[in-house]
Amino acid sequence: MLKISDAETSDPDATLRLDGQVTGRWVEVLRRSCDVVLRRGARLTLDLSHVSFADSEGIALLRSLTDRVRLVNASPFVAEQMRRARP
């Protein structure tokens, strides 16, 4: 299960707070959520502070987003998963 919350900000940038696991069908839900924000032209930040796990597809998505999206507050475990994943 993955909860995606839009953090209210006063500027045109957007922050999505993630809570849970980036796995299975939730990977595609997150991809679509990011695409919606990016198509608006907003700069996107993903707050990973409450992500407890990401499977290989989730890690691949997060790594693919790093050129367009700012990833913040990843746990040491998730950060290490991303670092070790093959490009």
Side-chain angles (χ1 to χ4, degrees), residues 16-81:
L16 297 179
R17 291 190 179 134
L18 309 182
D19 188 3
Q21 298 184 354
V22 184
T23 61
R25 68 184 175 114
W26 301 107
V27 174
E28 186 56 32
V29 171
L30 177 58
R31 181 187 328 275
R32 287 193 309 258
S33 296
C34 292
D35 286 346
V36 166
V37 173
L38 293 170
R39 272 190 249 122
R40 290 193 324 230
R43 288 181 294 183
L44 176 59
T45 298
L46 292 181
D47 183 347
L48 306 175
S49 58
H50 296 287
V51 172
S52 59
F53 180 76
D55 65 12
S56 60
E57 289 181 52
I59 291 297
L61 172 61
L62 293 173
R63 285 182 52 100
S64 74
L65 290 171
T66 58
D67 290 342
R68 302 176 293 150
V69 174
R70 187 171 162 240
L71 305 176
V72 297
N73 301 324
S75 71
F77 177 69
V78 171
E80 184 65 13
Q81 282 182 288

